[in-house]
Amino acid sequence: MHVFTTVHQLKKFLNKLSNGQKSVAFVPTLGALHAGHLSLMHHASQIADLVVVSIFVNPTQFNDLKDLEKYPRPLAQDIHLLTTNRVDVLFVPPAEEVYPKELKLVVPIDISHLTNVMEGPNRPGHFEGVVMVVKRLLDIVTPNYLVMGQKDYQQQAIIGSMIDQLKIPCKLITHPTERDKDGLALSSRNVRIDSHLRPIANTLYLALQRSITLMTSKTAAEVAKIASEMISEKGFQLEYFSIVDGNTLQPIKQWEDSEKIVACVAAWLGDVRLIDNIRLK
Ligand code: AMP
């Protein structure tokens, strides 16, 4: 695996190697890699000639400075995982490579219609930071495919909208969520779940699955209420359980309102914030 820390080195390598002939799949990450990330890389290796991964703890997407400082950075372990998982190129830039002084920091599109719900109000400025960094990384890597996880449903929907609006010649591939045996969505935060709370951590997934079975007999509002109660009763602090249109991310009222419906949830288990989602239709 080739490891680069500067934009110049990376671009030089990609230009020389691909020479416009080889297809590139790109997987941006914050590091602290787990099997969920690796499933994206595995998929990337199946659809393109070259897999490029970035590890960059992007400061502009953290609205909480403490969270940024606390973010795990096990780089040696990550590099070991990547070398054993068919990744061709790792880009690990310092912040000044991603955001050089001469580059004007701009959010390249209006995303307010997609950030006024769910994660948006809870994490002000987060998606603006994500859009900024992904646009910059796409400009640097110019991949044919961008591979992201469904786990962060709102994130991939916003990036998909950016790619459409800016007509970026790159196809977004959204990969299904990788889960533990009991259904808990894999996340870098899971290691922080208190061991006595771990047995109930899959409640979010169970509530999402229950929503699917309830759809035939209940309204969307009723389903959201039952699922929310199921989560709260176990002792989670629920932030939201939303049933939304998969593209606009706005809540739906009737099941017939949309062709693509997703249930999304965020809740605190002790001091760990968990998110998950499931496609209902
Ligand atoms: P992160 O490093 O947390 O920003 O995640 C990098 C990418 O991995 C994002 O596209 C996430 O949606 C994706 N991802 C995170 N957890 C999972 C998971 N459990 N299954 C599949 N993809 C995931």
Short mmCIF file of all heavy atoms in Angstrom, two decimals, residues 43-103:
data_model
loop_
_atom_site.label_atom_id
_atom_site.label_comp_id
_atom_site.label_asym_id
_atom_site.label_seq_id
_atom_site.Cartn_x
_atom_site.Cartn_y
_atom_site.Cartn_z
N HIS A 43 -15.92 -3.58 -0.86
CA HIS A 43 -16.83 -3.28 -1.98
C HIS A 43 -16.11 -2.43 -3.03
O HIS A 43 -16.23 -2.67 -4.23
CB HIS A 43 -18.08 -2.58 -1.47
CG HIS A 43 -19.11 -2.40 -2.53
ND1 HIS A 43 -19.84 -3.45 -3.04
CD2 HIS A 43 -19.51 -1.30 -3.22
CE1 HIS A 43 -20.63 -3.01 -3.99
NE2 HIS A 43 -20.46 -1.72 -4.11
N ALA A 44 -15.37 -1.45 -2.55
CA ALA A 44 -14.62 -0.56 -3.46
C ALA A 44 -13.68 -1.38 -4.36
O ALA A 44 -13.57 -1.12 -5.56
CB ALA A 44 -13.83 0.46 -2.65
N SER A 45 -13.04 -2.38 -3.76
CA SER A 45 -12.07 -3.18 -4.53
C SER A 45 -12.77 -4.03 -5.59
O SER A 45 -12.15 -4.48 -6.54
CB SER A 45 -11.22 -4.05 -3.61
OG SER A 45 -12.00 -5.11 -3.10
N GLN A 46 -14.07 -4.25 -5.39
CA GLN A 46 -14.81 -5.05 -6.38
C GLN A 46 -15.31 -4.23 -7.56
O GLN A 46 -15.60 -4.78 -8.62
CB GLN A 46 -16.00 -5.74 -5.71
CG GLN A 46 -15.54 -6.81 -4.73
CD GLN A 46 -16.70 -7.55 -4.13
OE1 GLN A 46 -17.73 -6.96 -3.82
NE2 GLN A 46 -16.54 -8.84 -3.94
N ILE A 47 -15.42 -2.92 -7.38
CA ILE A 47 -16.01 -2.11 -8.46
C ILE A 47 -14.97 -1.27 -9.21
O ILE A 47 -15.29 -0.72 -10.26
CB ILE A 47 -17.13 -1.17 -7.93
CG1 ILE A 47 -16.61 -0.27 -6.80
CG2 ILE A 47 -18.34 -1.98 -7.48
CD1 ILE A 47 -17.60 0.79 -6.37
N ALA A 48 -13.75 -1.16 -8.67
CA ALA A 48 -12.77 -0.30 -9.33
C ALA A 48 -11.40 -0.95 -9.34
O ALA A 48 -11.12 -1.89 -8.59
CB ALA A 48 -12.70 1.05 -8.62
N ASP A 49 -10.51 -0.42 -10.20
CA ASP A 49 -9.15 -0.96 -10.30
C ASP A 49 -8.32 -0.56 -9.08
O ASP A 49 -7.46 -1.32 -8.64
CB ASP A 49 -8.46 -0.43 -11.55
CG ASP A 49 -9.22 -0.82 -12.82
OD1 ASP A 49 -9.68 -1.97 -12.88
OD2 ASP A 49 -9.38 0.04 -13.71
N LEU A 50 -8.56 0.65 -8.60
CA LEU A 50 -7.73 1.19 -7.51
C LEU A 50 -8.61 1.65 -6.35
O LEU A 50 -9.62 2.32 -6.57
CB LEU A 50 -7.00 2.44 -7.99
CG LEU A 50 -5.65 2.34 -8.66
CD1 LEU A 50 -5.16 3.76 -8.96
CD2 LEU A 50 -4.65 1.63 -7.75
N VAL A 51 -8.20 1.28 -5.13
CA VAL A 51 -8.95 1.75 -3.95
C VAL A 51 -8.10 2.79 -3.22
O VAL A 51 -6.96 2.51 -2.82
CB VAL A 51 -9.28 0.59 -2.99
CG1 VAL A 51 -10.00 1.11 -1.75
CG2 VAL A 51 -10.12 -0.45 -3.71
N VAL A 52 -8.65 3.98 -3.07
CA VAL A 52 -7.98 5.04 -2.33
C VAL A 52 -8.79 5.32 -1.07
O VAL A 52 -10.01 5.52 -1.13
CB VAL A 52 -7.89 6.34 -3.17
CG1 VAL A 52 -7.20 7.46 -2.37
CG2 VAL A 52 -7.14 6.09 -4.48
N VAL A 53 -8.11 5.30 0.07
CA VAL A 53 -8.76 5.58 1.36
C VAL A 53 -8.11 6.83 1.95
O VAL A 53 -6.89 7.00 1.83
CB VAL A 53 -8.56 4.38 2.33
CG1 VAL A 53 -8.99 4.73 3.74
CG2 VAL A 53 -9.34 3.16 1.83
N SER A 54 -8.93 7.68 2.56
CA SER A 54 -8.31 8.79 3.31
C SER A 54 -8.64 8.63 4.78
O SER A 54 -9.72 8.15 5.15
CB SER A 54 -8.78 10.15 2.79
OG SER A 54 -10.16 10.30 3.02
N ILE A 55 -7.69 9.02 5.61
CA ILE A 55 -7.92 9.13 7.05
C ILE A 55 -7.63 10.58 7.40
O ILE A 55 -6.49 11.04 7.27
CB ILE A 55 -7.00 8.19 7.86
CG1 ILE A 55 -7.35 6.73 7.57
CG2 ILE A 55 -7.13 8.49 9.35
CD1 ILE A 55 -6.50 5.72 8.36
N PHE A 56 -8.68 11.29 7.78
CA PHE A 56 -8.49 12.70 8.13
C PHE A 56 -9.57 13.08 9.15
O PHE A 56 -10.76 13.03 8.83
CB PHE A 56 -8.60 13.58 6.87
CG PHE A 56 -8.47 15.06 7.16
CD1 PHE A 56 -7.33 15.56 7.78
CD2 PHE A 56 -9.50 15.94 6.84
CE1 PHE A 56 -7.21 16.92 8.07
CE2 PHE A 56 -9.38 17.31 7.12
CZ PHE A 56 -8.23 17.79 7.72
N VAL A 57 -9.13 13.39 10.36
CA VAL A 57 -10.08 13.83 11.38
C VAL A 57 -10.35 15.31 11.12
O VAL A 57 -9.59 16.18 11.54
CB VAL A 57 -9.54 13.57 12.81
CG1 VAL A 57 -10.58 13.93 13.85
CG2 VAL A 57 -9.15 12.10 12.97
N ASN A 58 -11.41 15.53 10.35
CA ASN A 58 -11.70 16.85 9.79
C ASN A 58 -12.21 17.83 10.84
O ASN A 58 -13.35 17.69 11.31
CB ASN A 58 -12.75 16.66 8.68
CG ASN A 58 -13.26 17.98 8.16
OD1 ASN A 58 -12.49 18.93 8.04
ND2 ASN A 58 -14.54 18.03 7.87
N PRO A 59 -11.42 18.82 11.22
CA PRO A 59 -11.86 19.71 12.31
C PRO A 59 -13.13 20.49 11.98
O PRO A 59 -13.91 20.79 12.89
CB PRO A 59 -10.66 20.67 12.49
CG PRO A 59 -9.83 20.54 11.26
CD PRO A 59 -10.09 19.18 10.70
N THR A 60 -13.39 20.78 10.70
CA THR A 60 -14.55 21.65 10.39
C THR A 60 -15.89 20.95 10.61
O THR A 60 -16.93 21.60 10.59
CB THR A 60 -14.48 22.21 8.95
OG1 THR A 60 -14.65 21.13 8.02
CG2 THR A 60 -13.18 22.92 8.66
N GLN A 61 -15.89 19.61 10.79
CA GLN A 61 -17.18 18.94 10.99
C GLN A 61 -17.48 18.65 12.45
O GLN A 61 -18.51 18.08 12.78
CB GLN A 61 -17.26 17.66 10.17
CG GLN A 61 -16.42 16.51 10.68
CD GLN A 61 -16.40 15.35 9.69
OE1 GLN A 61 -15.85 15.45 8.61
NE2 GLN A 61 -17.02 14.24 10.07
N PHE A 62 -16.57 19.07 13.35
CA PHE A 62 -16.80 18.87 14.78
C PHE A 62 -17.33 20.16 15.37
O PHE A 62 -16.64 21.19 15.37
CB PHE A 62 -15.50 18.48 15.50
CG PHE A 62 -15.11 17.04 15.27
CD1 PHE A 62 -14.47 16.66 14.10
CD2 PHE A 62 -15.39 16.07 16.22
CE1 PHE A 62 -14.12 15.33 13.88
CE2 PHE A 62 -15.03 14.74 16.01
CZ PHE A 62 -14.40 14.37 14.84
N ASN A 63 -18.57 20.12 15.87
CA ASN A 63 -19.10 21.33 16.49
C ASN A 63 -18.70 21.40 17.96
O ASN A 63 -18.84 22.44 18.59
CB ASN A 63 -20.62 21.43 16.32
CG ASN A 63 -21.34 20.16 16.67
OD1 ASN A 63 -20.96 19.08 16.21
ND2 ASN A 63 -22.33 20.26 17.51
N ASP A 64 -18.15 20.26 18.46
CA ASP A 64 -17.73 20.23 19.85
C ASP A 64 -16.22 19.97 19.89
O ASP A 64 -15.75 18.90 19.48
CB ASP A 64 -18.50 19.11 20.56
CG ASP A 64 -18.11 18.94 22.02
OD1 ASP A 64 -17.15 19.62 22.47
OD2 ASP A 64 -18.74 18.12 22.71
N LEU A 65 -15.47 20.95 20.38
CA LEU A 65 -14.01 20.86 20.37
C LEU A 65 -13.49 19.68 21.17
O LEU A 65 -12.51 19.03 20.80
CB LEU A 65 -13.42 22.17 20.90
CG LEU A 65 -12.14 22.61 20.18
CD1 LEU A 65 -12.46 23.15 18.80
CD2 LEU A 65 -11.39 23.65 21.00
N LYS A 66 -14.19 19.39 22.29
CA LYS A 66 -13.78 18.26 23.15
C LYS A 66 -13.90 16.95 22.39
O LYS A 66 -13.06 16.06 22.51
CB LYS A 66 -14.67 18.21 24.41
CG LYS A 66 -14.21 19.12 25.50
CD LYS A 66 -14.66 18.56 26.87
CE LYS A 66 -14.63 19.64 27.91
NZ LYS A 66 -15.93 20.34 28.04
N ASP A 67 -14.97 16.84 21.60
CA ASP A 67 -15.22 15.65 20.80
C ASP A 67 -14.08 15.46 19.79
O ASP A 67 -13.59 14.35 19.58
CB ASP A 67 -16.55 15.85 20.05
CG ASP A 67 -17.17 14.54 19.63
OD1 ASP A 67 -16.77 13.51 20.18
OD2 ASP A 67 -18.04 14.56 18.73
N LEU A 68 -13.64 16.56 19.21
CA LEU A 68 -12.52 16.52 18.24
C LEU A 68 -11.24 16.05 18.93
O LEU A 68 -10.52 15.19 18.41
CB LEU A 68 -12.32 17.92 17.63
CG LEU A 68 -11.08 18.13 16.76
CD1 LEU A 68 -11.13 17.26 15.51
CD2 LEU A 68 -10.95 19.60 16.33
N GLU A 69 -10.98 16.59 20.11
CA GLU A 69 -9.76 16.20 20.84
C GLU A 69 -9.81 14.73 21.26
O GLU A 69 -8.83 14.01 21.21
CB GLU A 69 -9.58 17.07 22.08
CG GLU A 69 -8.99 18.43 21.75
CD GLU A 69 -9.22 19.46 22.85
OE1 GLU A 69 -9.57 19.06 23.99
OE2 GLU A 69 -9.07 20.66 22.56
N LYS A 70 -11.02 14.29 21.65
CA LYS A 70 -11.19 12.92 22.17
C LYS A 70 -11.20 11.88 21.05
O LYS A 70 -11.13 10.68 21.31
CB LYS A 70 -12.52 12.81 22.93
CG LYS A 70 -12.44 13.16 24.39
CD LYS A 70 -13.63 12.64 25.20
CE LYS A 70 -14.98 12.83 24.55
NZ LYS A 70 -16.14 12.83 25.39
N TYR A 71 -11.34 12.31 19.79
CA TYR A 71 -11.53 11.35 18.71
C TYR A 71 -10.32 10.41 18.62
O TYR A 71 -9.17 10.88 18.57
CB TYR A 71 -11.77 12.06 17.36
CG TYR A 71 -12.55 11.15 16.43
CD1 TYR A 71 -13.93 11.10 16.49
CD2 TYR A 71 -11.90 10.28 15.55
CE1 TYR A 71 -14.65 10.22 15.70
CE2 TYR A 71 -12.61 9.41 14.76
CZ TYR A 71 -13.99 9.39 14.84
OH TYR A 71 -14.69 8.51 14.05
N PRO A 72 -10.55 9.08 18.62
CA PRO A 72 -9.40 8.15 18.62
C PRO A 72 -8.59 8.22 17.33
O PRO A 72 -9.15 8.41 16.25
CB PRO A 72 -10.07 6.77 18.76
CG PRO A 72 -11.48 6.95 18.33
CD PRO A 72 -11.84 8.38 18.61
N ARG A 73 -7.27 8.09 17.44
CA ARG A 73 -6.39 8.16 16.25
C ARG A 73 -5.36 7.02 16.27
O ARG A 73 -4.16 7.26 16.33
CB ARG A 73 -5.68 9.52 16.21
CG ARG A 73 -6.62 10.70 15.94
CD ARG A 73 -5.92 12.03 16.27
NE ARG A 73 -6.67 13.20 15.87
CZ ARG A 73 -7.60 13.79 16.62
NH1 ARG A 73 -7.94 13.30 17.80
NH2 ARG A 73 -8.22 14.88 16.18
N PRO A 74 -5.83 5.79 16.19
CA PRO A 74 -4.90 4.64 16.23
C PRO A 74 -4.28 4.39 14.85
O PRO A 74 -4.55 3.35 14.23
CB PRO A 74 -5.81 3.48 16.66
CG PRO A 74 -7.16 3.85 16.12
CD PRO A 74 -7.23 5.35 16.01
N LEU A 75 -3.44 5.30 14.39
CA LEU A 75 -2.98 5.26 12.98
C LEU A 75 -2.21 3.98 12.63
O LEU A 75 -2.47 3.39 11.56
CB LEU A 75 -2.13 6.50 12.67
CG LEU A 75 -1.76 6.64 11.20
CD1 LEU A 75 -2.99 6.70 10.30
CD2 LEU A 75 -0.88 7.87 10.97
N ALA A 76 -1.30 3.53 13.52
CA ALA A 76 -0.51 2.33 13.19
C ALA A 76 -1.42 1.12 13.00
O ALA A 76 -1.27 0.35 12.05
CB ALA A 76 0.50 2.06 14.30
N GLN A 77 -2.42 1.01 13.87
CA GLN A 77 -3.38 -0.10 13.78
C GLN A 77 -4.21 0.01 12.49
O GLN A 77 -4.44 -0.98 11.79
CB GLN A 77 -4.28 -0.01 15.01
CG GLN A 77 -5.23 -1.15 15.20
CD GLN A 77 -6.15 -0.86 16.38
OE1 GLN A 77 -5.70 -0.50 17.48
NE2 GLN A 77 -7.45 -0.98 16.18
N ASP A 78 -4.61 1.23 12.16
CA ASP A 78 -5.39 1.46 10.92
C ASP A 78 -4.57 1.06 9.69
O ASP A 78 -5.08 0.40 8.78
CB ASP A 78 -5.80 2.93 10.79
CG ASP A 78 -6.94 3.32 11.74
OD1 ASP A 78 -7.53 2.40 12.34
OD2 ASP A 78 -7.23 4.51 11.86
N ILE A 79 -3.31 1.46 9.68
CA ILE A 79 -2.45 1.15 8.52
C ILE A 79 -2.31 -0.36 8.38
O ILE A 79 -2.41 -0.90 7.28
CB ILE A 79 -1.07 1.85 8.65
CG1 ILE A 79 -1.26 3.36 8.46
CG2 ILE A 79 -0.07 1.30 7.62
CD1 ILE A 79 -0.01 4.19 8.59
N HIS A 80 -2.18 -1.04 9.52
CA HIS A 80 -2.06 -2.50 9.47
C HIS A 80 -3.33 -3.11 8.86
O HIS A 80 -3.27 -3.97 7.98
CB HIS A 80 -1.81 -3.05 10.87
CG HIS A 80 -1.79 -4.54 10.91
ND1 HIS A 80 -0.75 -5.26 10.38
CD2 HIS A 80 -2.70 -5.44 11.35
CE1 HIS A 80 -1.01 -6.54 10.50
NE2 HIS A 80 -2.19 -6.68 11.09
N LEU A 81 -4.49 -2.63 9.30
CA LEU A 81 -5.76 -3.15 8.77
C LEU A 81 -5.88 -2.91 7.27
O LEU A 81 -6.33 -3.77 6.52
CB LEU A 81 -6.95 -2.46 9.47
CG LEU A 81 -7.39 -3.01 10.80
CD1 LEU A 81 -8.48 -2.14 11.41
CD2 LEU A 81 -7.92 -4.44 10.61
N LEU A 82 -5.47 -1.72 6.84
CA LEU A 82 -5.61 -1.38 5.42
C LEU A 82 -4.69 -2.22 4.54
O LEU A 82 -5.09 -2.64 3.46
CB LEU A 82 -5.32 0.12 5.20
CG LEU A 82 -6.34 1.06 5.85
CD1 LEU A 82 -5.91 2.50 5.68
CD2 LEU A 82 -7.72 0.86 5.24
N THR A 83 -3.47 -2.47 5.04
CA THR A 83 -2.53 -3.24 4.21
C THR A 83 -3.03 -4.68 4.03
O THR A 83 -2.72 -5.31 3.03
CB THR A 83 -1.11 -3.30 4.83
OG1 THR A 83 -1.25 -3.59 6.22
CG2 THR A 83 -0.35 -2.01 4.67
N THR A 84 -3.82 -5.16 5.00
CA THR A 84 -4.33 -6.53 4.86
C THR A 84 -5.72 -6.55 4.21
O THR A 84 -6.39 -7.57 4.21
CB THR A 84 -4.38 -7.24 6.23
OG1 THR A 84 -5.04 -6.36 7.15
CG2 THR A 84 -3.00 -7.57 6.74
N ASN A 85 -6.16 -5.42 3.68
CA ASN A 85 -7.51 -5.37 3.10
C ASN A 85 -7.56 -4.74 1.71
O ASN A 85 -8.48 -3.97 1.42
CB ASN A 85 -8.47 -4.66 4.06
CG ASN A 85 -8.99 -5.61 5.12
OD1 ASN A 85 -9.92 -6.37 4.87
ND2 ASN A 85 -8.36 -5.61 6.27
N ARG A 86 -6.64 -5.07 0.90
CA ARG A 86 -6.68 -4.73 -0.53
C ARG A 86 -6.86 -3.25 -0.82
O ARG A 86 -7.56 -2.85 -1.76
CB ARG A 86 -7.82 -5.50 -1.23
CG ARG A 86 -7.53 -6.97 -1.31
CD ARG A 86 -8.50 -7.57 -2.28
NE ARG A 86 -9.41 -8.47 -1.61
CZ ARG A 86 -10.49 -9.01 -2.15
NH1 ARG A 86 -10.82 -8.69 -3.37
NH2 ARG A 86 -11.23 -9.84 -1.48
N VAL A 87 -6.27 -2.39 0.03
CA VAL A 87 -6.31 -0.96 -0.25
C VAL A 87 -5.00 -0.58 -0.94
O VAL A 87 -3.92 -0.99 -0.51
CB VAL A 87 -6.51 -0.16 1.06
CG1 VAL A 87 -6.31 1.32 0.84
CG2 VAL A 87 -7.91 -0.44 1.60
N ASP A 88 -5.09 0.16 -2.04
CA ASP A 88 -3.90 0.49 -2.82
C ASP A 88 -3.20 1.74 -2.31
O ASP A 88 -1.99 1.82 -2.29
CB ASP A 88 -4.28 0.70 -4.29
CG ASP A 88 -4.95 -0.55 -4.85
OD1 ASP A 88 -4.24 -1.56 -4.99
OD2 ASP A 88 -6.17 -0.54 -5.08
N VAL A 89 -4.02 2.73 -1.95
CA VAL A 89 -3.45 4.03 -1.58
C VAL A 89 -4.12 4.55 -0.32
O VAL A 89 -5.35 4.55 -0.21
CB VAL A 89 -3.68 5.07 -2.72
CG1 VAL A 89 -3.18 6.44 -2.31
CG2 VAL A 89 -3.00 4.62 -4.00
N LEU A 90 -3.29 5.00 0.62
CA LEU A 90 -3.83 5.69 1.82
C LEU A 90 -3.35 7.13 1.78
O LEU A 90 -2.16 7.40 1.62
CB LEU A 90 -3.33 5.00 3.10
CG LEU A 90 -3.62 5.77 4.39
CD1 LEU A 90 -5.12 5.91 4.63
CD2 LEU A 90 -2.97 5.10 5.59
N PHE A 91 -4.31 8.05 1.95
CA PHE A 91 -3.99 9.47 2.03
C PHE A 91 -4.25 9.91 3.47
O PHE A 91 -5.39 9.84 3.94
CB PHE A 91 -4.87 10.23 1.04
CG PHE A 91 -4.61 11.71 0.97
CD1 PHE A 91 -3.31 12.21 0.91
CD2 PHE A 91 -5.67 12.62 0.91
CE1 PHE A 91 -3.07 13.58 0.83
CE2 PHE A 91 -5.43 13.98 0.82
CZ PHE A 91 -4.13 14.46 0.78
N VAL A 92 -3.18 10.32 4.18
CA VAL A 92 -3.31 10.79 5.57
C VAL A 92 -2.73 12.20 5.65
O VAL A 92 -1.59 12.36 6.10
CB VAL A 92 -2.52 9.95 6.60
CG1 VAL A 92 -3.38 9.48 7.73
CG2 VAL A 92 -1.75 8.82 6.01
N PRO A 93 -3.46 13.18 5.24
CA PRO A 93 -2.90 14.53 5.19
C PRO A 93 -2.96 15.26 6.54
O PRO A 93 -3.89 15.03 7.32
CB PRO A 93 -3.82 15.23 4.20
CG PRO A 93 -5.15 14.56 4.40
CD PRO A 93 -4.86 13.14 4.79
N PRO A 94 -2.01 16.15 6.78
CA PRO A 94 -2.20 17.08 7.91
C PRO A 94 -3.22 18.15 7.49
O PRO A 94 -3.47 18.32 6.29
CB PRO A 94 -0.80 17.69 8.09
CG PRO A 94 -0.15 17.55 6.75
CD PRO A 94 -0.75 16.37 6.08
N ALA A 95 -3.78 18.85 8.47
CA ALA A 95 -4.86 19.82 8.17
C ALA A 95 -4.44 20.86 7.13
O ALA A 95 -5.25 21.26 6.27
CB ALA A 95 -5.31 20.49 9.45
N GLU A 96 -3.16 21.29 7.16
CA GLU A 96 -2.76 22.37 6.23
C GLU A 96 -2.71 21.91 4.77
O GLU A 96 -2.72 22.73 3.87
CB GLU A 96 -1.44 23.03 6.66
CG GLU A 96 -0.25 22.11 6.83
CD GLU A 96 -0.14 21.47 8.21
OE1 GLU A 96 -1.16 21.38 8.92
OE2 GLU A 96 0.98 21.03 8.57
N GLU A 97 -2.69 20.60 4.54
CA GLU A 97 -2.76 20.09 3.16
C GLU A 97 -4.21 20.14 2.65
O GLU A 97 -4.46 20.43 1.49
CB GLU A 97 -2.26 18.64 3.09
CG GLU A 97 -0.76 18.52 3.10
CD GLU A 97 -0.12 19.03 1.80
OE1 GLU A 97 -0.62 18.74 0.71
OE2 GLU A 97 0.91 19.74 1.93
N VAL A 98 -5.13 19.83 3.55
CA VAL A 98 -6.54 19.84 3.15
C VAL A 98 -7.05 21.27 3.07
O VAL A 98 -7.81 21.63 2.16
CB VAL A 98 -7.39 19.00 4.15
CG1 VAL A 98 -8.85 18.99 3.74
CG2 VAL A 98 -6.85 17.59 4.24
N TYR A 99 -6.63 22.08 4.02
CA TYR A 99 -7.08 23.48 4.06
C TYR A 99 -5.88 24.43 4.00
O TYR A 99 -5.56 25.08 5.00
CB TYR A 99 -7.86 23.74 5.35
CG TYR A 99 -9.09 22.85 5.52
CD1 TYR A 99 -9.22 21.99 6.60
CD2 TYR A 99 -10.12 22.88 4.57
CE1 TYR A 99 -10.35 21.19 6.76
CE2 TYR A 99 -11.25 22.08 4.72
CZ TYR A 99 -11.35 21.24 5.81
OH TYR A 99 -12.46 20.44 5.96
N PRO A 100 -5.19 24.52 2.85
CA PRO A 100 -4.07 25.47 2.78
C PRO A 100 -4.59 26.90 2.90
O PRO A 100 -5.75 27.17 2.54
CB PRO A 100 -3.48 25.20 1.38
CG PRO A 100 -4.56 24.53 0.62
CD PRO A 100 -5.42 23.80 1.60
N LYS A 101 -3.73 27.78 3.41
CA LYS A 101 -4.15 29.16 3.69
C LYS A 101 -4.79 29.84 2.48
O LYS A 101 -5.76 30.58 2.59
CB LYS A 101 -2.94 29.98 4.15
CG LYS A 101 -2.64 29.82 5.61
CD LYS A 101 -1.80 30.99 6.14
CE LYS A 101 -1.17 30.62 7.46
NZ LYS A 101 0.05 29.77 7.31
N GLU A 102 -4.24 29.56 1.29
CA GLU A 102 -4.72 30.28 0.09
C GLU A 102 -6.09 29.78 -0.38
O GLU A 102 -6.74 30.42 -1.20
CB GLU A 102 -3.69 30.19 -1.05
CG GLU A 102 -3.39 28.80 -1.59
CD GLU A 102 -2.34 28.03 -0.77
OE1 GLU A 102 -2.01 28.46 0.35
OE2 GLU A 102 -1.87 26.97 -1.26
N LEU A 103 -6.54 28.66 0.18
CA LEU A 103 -7.83 28.11 -0.25
C LEU A 103 -8.95 28.75 0.55
O LEU A 103 -8.92 28.72 1.79
CB LEU A 103 -7.83 26.59 -0.02
CG LEU A 103 -8.93 25.83 -0.73
CD1 LEU A 103 -8.43 25.38 -2.10
CD2 LEU A 103 -9.32 24.60 0.09
#
